């Protein structure tokens, strides 16, 4: 696929204008083969997907077609009509757009091109945006949300009439979310404005490149794909798993045991990037490192909840190589250039092979030198997972998630956006929408229901005709019914729903308003705190003083032990691929040799006391403990699917008379405890395990449980906000969290009981299936284990069950805010008052 | 089951409480019933809130009026009150009654038939609802009780009011539960909002400052099966 270097050089001479060749030569560089190949493909009029590791000169490659074309363009003459935007660059992060402006500006200046480059993000001041509308730059660097805004403007068609290229950076991360759905619709719109438009996608390695190739081009005719250029190679990363001298814990996520060993690695390297999966882990690790930081090395903390100014300071220090280590969450996952990182430490399991590869790519931004990485498993199951991820990395296996169909809530937002820009004809818009890959399978009746939803809410009870937001006129075109609708739309654009969060502010300060703001923290977490509780945030231990005027007030807590851990389960569930690799590893004692001795011992004990599951089996253990009975299942399907399974199984066990009391779920296992002896029930086949785990649980049980589930209500809230059913913001006022006009929970209850088939509930269920509930993965598992359930009725807990048993009581049992808690509180009162 | 039997069952279900000496039942569905007076009170129905927001482009489901009336129908069928007091903000705005779908209007009129029905004026609906029976009053005194929409700033024994949409929150075992509630201190009572789309405000919010005797304040939180009486000390803000 990729040309030979010598051929590339000859080609470069043909393809690249003189000033470019000179610029390369002056630096002693030569253009890379894939850069020239991409240029040639673009010049042949094709859209193209470039898959390359970090450090391969992806950005320059993506812009070469634009720059060479702009270089050859005759200069503008006075009096000549202004020229529109030539190239649109879209990245998922504002920071990335700013980064690119700097990185691209340099060669443009050095080559001596008269090309204007500007960013346009949420931070761009209004006057600059206005000016950009009148005098657009040649290259505009922006985000998906800004593109949606530009498209919804009345002059959109004219604004984009000169557009030639759209460069999409970090495409692999854009396409998996609703932001990607909205962006694909935006691209479809741009293609209808400018039929010859070409796209250039830049991506890290993914499991299914063809999905991205289709995503980049019109799906009319169906199945069309962009050209593909793959840059392989780059040096193999040097990854190892920490073989700790210490005891690897059975459970938990802190990896505290390894702190001294991590610290000595930091000392041995120039700059270390430490990745963790959650913000709470970041806080904890940061605290632990400073506890042992005898040399007071500059070690910093970076995560999405911290105050922006604080994050910028850390990023700047990092760029200037002023830090020795930085503890970070996924906010740093994407391709920002990070100085001279020479070691990546991944604390906790990576959850996916591709995710690990992308994170390791952060180190050593030069593709010919091997990146160095150390994995630190936080517990024993994570040792297995790290091993599987490491093997996958050497094999080059990829497990990026498959793309899902476009959300109907996103489509609703887009339809209103189109109407805000210009009147539309339903037939034409339907055809246009279907050119976007995520919506290629959309059928007309569904599309019409979405349009109806946008117009009047799409209810069976036709009560809102007179309040329609868009109306069908006699000319067959849909128009916005009044300008206020468009104004409101622009305020509420986008698919990013922020969880309700409050500022964290010091009580003490010079002004009466209180002290410095440290960042934002979720309302849901704060709700569990009472005055005097201590918790970790922004690298400090803080005491909760109270909430006032929508801000959380704190003071520094003496001592360094936080009473309340800042809980956050892994954000990403274990990937299907890694789960399977772990099952294979358990089944094959030969492979245990590669594991640390203490972990291999643990597995041998399990084989001795119980059994290890075969790769396609589901092992169920039952045993008594205390005055309760336990069921532990090991599906390895990820926390979300296990949580759903736990909910459904407890319902069934309750019906069977097992009197279940609760359950916990981890990425690997599920434990349920009850008052009745479940082991005996299963042996007597009352019920049989086969019946208990039958796929029919995904029918009525799921439906009944889902109906009142907080998970579905949360999903509905997102759909309601994205679809524009309710507004995130009104003109002149910022609304947040509970202040939203009408609580979406109340709307959900009313809608579900009166119109269960409403399109928004349909969209909600579709989201839940792949999102918080992971029903699709559960369904696959249930069909896989049919007839393959292995039951071990034990007299006591097995070695494999220890980790999850340790989670009981530590993890909050997610559930409805139920009456039993109220009962407890009320009983206390009744006892105290002597009324009972 | 005869009516008398049903009543006994209902009354046994909840411990009556006293408001200025009158016996009252806080029903878990959010209504207050005075058995001796055969008087049922409901507050903040906010009928036609859906269509009210729809006028401004927020097209939330138009089923709130129907849902609210269905629930009201159920409690009226259970208690068979002689008198019903709707304690203000019965409609979300002045035009609400006129916008109401004819089927809902008929349902409401059926509920009203054969009882004394009082619409207490609220801040959302200061005037009598268009073309509906019942008597519109600013406030109403019955026995030792006085019914008005907004709680008065000075302490009044026996006052039953609404307007503030009280809810309460407790934290148990690291988990938070928030529910609508009746808030009372033995002297006055503030009722929860009944409407399907009505939000709520924590009884510890400063909007309630000075309204209650703190020592005796109780939140009667609405559970799915019953009411839970929670003392002031257990309540959390937010």
């Amino acid at each position: 696929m990729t040309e030979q270097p010598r051929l590339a050089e000859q080609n470069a001479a043909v393809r690249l204008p003189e000033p470019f060749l000179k610029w390369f030569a002056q630096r002693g560089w030569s253009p890379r083969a894939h850069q020239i190949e991409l240029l040639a493909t673009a010049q042949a009029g094709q859209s193209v997907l470039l898959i390359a590791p970090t450090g391969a000169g992806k950005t320059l490659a993506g812009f070469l077609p634009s720059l060479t074309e702009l270089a050859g363009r005759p200069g503008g003459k006075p009096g000549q009509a202004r020229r529109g935007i030539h190239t649109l660059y879209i990245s998922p992060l504002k920071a990335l757009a700013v980064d690119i402006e700097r990185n691209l500006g340099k060669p443009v200046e050095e080559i001596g091109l008269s090309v204007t480059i500007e960013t346009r993000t949420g931070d761009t001041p209004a006057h600059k945006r206005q000016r950009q509308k009148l005098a657009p730059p040649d290259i505009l660097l922006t985000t998906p949300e800004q593109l949606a805004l530009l498209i919804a403007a009345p002059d959109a068609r004219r604004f984009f009439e000169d557009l030639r290229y759209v460069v999409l950076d970090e495409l692999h991360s854009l396409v998996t979310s609703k932001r990607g759905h909205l962006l694909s619709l935006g691209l479809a719109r741009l293609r209808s404005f400018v039929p010859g438009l070409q796209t250039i996608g830049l991506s890290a390695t993914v499991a299914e490149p063809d999905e991205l190739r289709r995503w980049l081009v019109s799906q009319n005719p169906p199945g069309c794909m962009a050209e593909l250029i793959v840059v392989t190679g780059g040096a193999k990363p040097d990854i190892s798993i920490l073989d700790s001298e210490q005891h690897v814990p059975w459970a938990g996520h802190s990896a505290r045991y390894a702190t001294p060993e991590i610290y000595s690695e930091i000392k041995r390297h120039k700059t270390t990037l430490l990745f963790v999966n959650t913000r709470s882990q970041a806080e904890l690790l940061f605290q632990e490192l400073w506890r042992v930081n005898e040399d007071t090395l500059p070690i910093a903390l970076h995560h999405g909840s911290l105050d922006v100014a604080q994050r910028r300071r850390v990023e700047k220090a990092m760029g200037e190589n002023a830090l020795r280590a930085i503890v970070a969450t996924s906010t740093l996952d994407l391709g920002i250039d990070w100085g001279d990182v020479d070691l990546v430490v991944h604390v906790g399991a990576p959850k996916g092979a591709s995710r690990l590869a992308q994170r390791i790519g952060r180190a050593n931004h030069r593709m010919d030198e091997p990146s160095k990485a150390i994995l630190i498993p936080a517990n024993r199951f994570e040792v297995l997972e790290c091993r599987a991820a490491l093997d996958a990395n050497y094999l080059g296996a990829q497990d990026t998630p498959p793309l899902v169909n476009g959300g109907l809530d996103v489509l609703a937002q887009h339809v209103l956006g189109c109407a805000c820009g210009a009147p539309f004809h339903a037939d034409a818009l339907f055809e246009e929408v279907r050119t976007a890959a995520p919506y290629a399978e959309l059928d007309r009746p569904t599309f019409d229901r979405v349009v109806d939803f946008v117009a009047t809410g799409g209810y069976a009870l036709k009560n809102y005709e007179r309040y329609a937001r868009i109306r069908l006129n006699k000319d067959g075109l849909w128009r916005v019914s009044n300008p206020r609708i468009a104004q409101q739309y622009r305020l509420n654009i986008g698919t990013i729903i922020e969880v309700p969060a409050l500022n964290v502010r010091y009580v003490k300060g010079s002004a009466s308003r209180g002290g410095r703001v440290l960042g934002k923290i979720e309302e849901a977490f704060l709700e569990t705190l009472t005055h005097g509780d201590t918790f970790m945030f922004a690298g400090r231990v803080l005491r909760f003083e109270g909430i006032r005027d929508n801000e959380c007030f704190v003071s520094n807590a003496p001592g360094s032990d936080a009473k309340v851990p800042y809980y956050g389960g892994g954000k990403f569930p274990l990937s299907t691929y890694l789960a399977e690799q772990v099952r294979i590893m358990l089944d094959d004692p030969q492979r245990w040799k590669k594991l640390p001795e203490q972990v291999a011992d643990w597995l041998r004990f399990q084989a001795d006391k119980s059994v290890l599951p075969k790769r396609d089996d589901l092992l169920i253990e039952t045993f008594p403990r205390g005055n309760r009975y336990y069921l532990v299942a090991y599906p390895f399907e990820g926390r979300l699917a296990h949580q759903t399974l736990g909910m459904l199984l407890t319902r069934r066990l309750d019906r069977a008379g097992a009197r279940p009391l609760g359950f916990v779920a981890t990425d690997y296992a599920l434990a349920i405890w009850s008052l009745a002896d479940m082991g005996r029930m299963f042996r007597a086949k009352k019920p049989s395990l086969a019946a208990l785990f039958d796929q029919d649980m995904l029918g009525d049980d799921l439906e009944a449980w889902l109906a009142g589930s907080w998970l579905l209500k949360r999903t509905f809230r997102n759909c309601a906000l994205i679809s524009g059913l309710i507004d995130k913001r009104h003109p002149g006022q910022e609304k947040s969290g509970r202040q939203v006009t009408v609580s979406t929970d109340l709307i959900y209850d009313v809608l579900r009981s009166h119109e269960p088939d409403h399109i928004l509930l349909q969209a909600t269920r579709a989201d839940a299936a792949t999102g918080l509930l992971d029903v699709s993965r559960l369904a696959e598992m249930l069909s896989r284990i049919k007839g393959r359930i292995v039951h071990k009725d034990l007299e006591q807990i097995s070695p494999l069950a220890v980790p999850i048993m340790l989670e009981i009581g530590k993890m909050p049992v997610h559930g409805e805010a139920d009456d039993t808690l109220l009962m407890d509180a009320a009983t206390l009162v009744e006892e105290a008052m002597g009324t009972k | 089951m005869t009516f008398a039997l049903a009543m006994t069952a209902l009354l046994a279900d909840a411990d009556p409480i006293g408001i200025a000496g009158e016996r009252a039942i806080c029903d878990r569905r959010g209504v207050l019933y005075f058995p001796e007076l055969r008087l049922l009170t409901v507050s903040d129905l906010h009928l036609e809130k859906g269509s009210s927001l729809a006028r401004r482009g927020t097209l939330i489901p138009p089923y709130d009026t129907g849902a609210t009336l269905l629930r009201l129908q159920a409690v009226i069928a259970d208690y068979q009150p002689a008198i019903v007091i709707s304690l203000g903000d019965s409609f979300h705005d002045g035009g609400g009654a006129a916008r109401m779908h004819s089927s809902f209007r008929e349902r409401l009129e059926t509920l009203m038939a054969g009882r004394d029905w009082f619409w207490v004026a609220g801040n959302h609906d200061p005037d009598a609802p268009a073309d509906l029976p019942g008597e519109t009053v600013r406030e109403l005194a019955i026995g030792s009780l006085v019914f008005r929409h907004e709680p008065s700033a000075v302490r009044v024994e026996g006052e039953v009011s609404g307007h503030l949409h009280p809810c309460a929150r407790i934290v148990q075992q690291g988990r938070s539960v928030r529910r609508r509630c009746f808030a009372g201190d033995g002297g006055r009572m503030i009722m929860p909002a009944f409407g399907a789309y009505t939000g709520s405000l924590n009884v510890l919010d400063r909007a309630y400052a000075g309204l209650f005797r703190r020592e005796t304040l109780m939140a009667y939180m609405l559970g799915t099966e019953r009411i839970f009486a929670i003392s002031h000390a257990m309540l959390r803000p937010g």
Side-chain angles (χ1 to χ4, degrees), chain A residues 453-457 459-461 463-464 466-467 469 484-485 488 527-530 548-549 725-727 730 738 741-742 746-747 750-751 754-755 813 815-819 821-826 828-830 836, chain B residues 15 49-51 53-64 66-67 99 101 104 169-180 196-199 206 218 221 223-226 228-231 234 236 238:
Chain A
F453 168 84
V454 173
T456 61
Y459 303 107
L461 181 67
N463 226 7
Y464 290 166
R466 63 201 136 150
Y467 312 128
R469 293 187 291 188
R484 203 194 57 229
I485 303 284
Q488 206 134 315
E527 281 189 347
T528 63
L529 298 182
T530 48
R548 204 178 68 217
D549 298 336
L725 178 70
I726 52 170
D727 292 326
H730 281 284
R738 214 172 302 127
T741 0
V742 185
L746 298 175
I747 296 176
V750 167
L751 189 56
H754 288 80
E755 202 175 334
V813 181
E816 319 310 320
D818 58 357
D819 280 23
L821 298 176
L822 281 170
M823 179 71 95
D824 290 349
L828 290 174
V829 174
E830 282 157 5
K836 275 274 149 82
Chain B
D15 300 329
K49 180 167 179 175
S51 63
L53 293 180
R55 290 182 308 168
R56 283 177 277 142
T58 302
L59 303 171
I60 56 178
Y63 303 114
D64 56 318
R99 280 199 313 273
H101 197 270
F104 297 148
R169 189 169 81 83
I170 60 156
V171 175
Q172 283 287 100
Q173 298 161 31
R175 288 173 56 195
S176 168
V177 183
R178 180 186 287 102
R179 293 287 168 81
R180 299 184 194 201
Y197 284 164
T198 49
R206 56 172 83 145
M218 294 287 278
M221 297 173 74
T224 33
E225 303 288 332
R226 55 167 277 198
F228 297 94
I230 310 288
S231 75
M234 302 281 298
R236 298 279 174 268

Side-chain angles (χ1 to χ4, degrees), chain A residues 84 335 477 519 566 673 773:
Chain A
L477 296 175
Y566 172 6
W673 56 97
L773 299 167

Side-chain angles (χ1 to χ4, degrees), chain A residues 133 147-157 193 417-418 420-422 490:
Chain A
K133 278 290 187 74
L147 174 62
L149 275 175
L150 288 169
I151 278 173
D155 57 353
R157 190 176 288 270
F193 293 164
C418 289
C420 291
R490 281 192 274 275

Side-chain angles (χ1 to χ4, degrees), chain A residues 716-734:
Chain A
F716 177 77
R717 176 171 185 270
N718 291 350
C719 288
L721 287 167
I722 292 172
S723 67
L725 178 70
I726 52 170
D727 292 326
K728 283 183 274 188
R729 298 194 297 169
H730 281 284
Q733 61 184 125
E734 286 266 356

